[in-house]
Amino acid sequence: MPQVRSDWLETFLAAVETRSFTAAARRVHRSQSAVSLQIGKLEAAVGHRLLVRGPGGLRPTAAGERLLPYVR
């Protein structure tokens, strides 16, 4: 299994809690594009899509929901 970095998990949690890449970026002190890139790398490492964009902002997929308790 590919290595998963702790900063990717921190960024994932920030994105879930804020429901926004922009707000997550402020929380983890990175640019919005860096947050997007980290989420993409995390998704590639775990082999599943973890977040989807919807009318209310970002929300975790089923795979994202399963990962969330381990990240917290």
Side-chain angles (χ1 to χ4, degrees), residues 8-34:
W8 297 349
L9 298 173
E10 177 187 15
T11 299
F12 169 71
L13 182 60
V16 169
E17 290 179 347
T18 63
R19 300 180 63 99
S20 161
F21 281 166
T22 302
R26 284 191 294 269
R27 183 183 284 189
V28 297
H29 308 288
R30 290 183 174 76
S31 67
Q32 183 275 333
S33 60

Side-chain angles (χ1 to χ4, degrees), residues 40-61:
K41 287 180 177 182
L42 178 60
E43 289 176 333
V46 300
H48 295 282
R49 181 106 189 219
L50 299 173
L51 295 170
V52 293
R53 290 184 181 94
L58 292 174
R59 60 183 172 80
T61 63

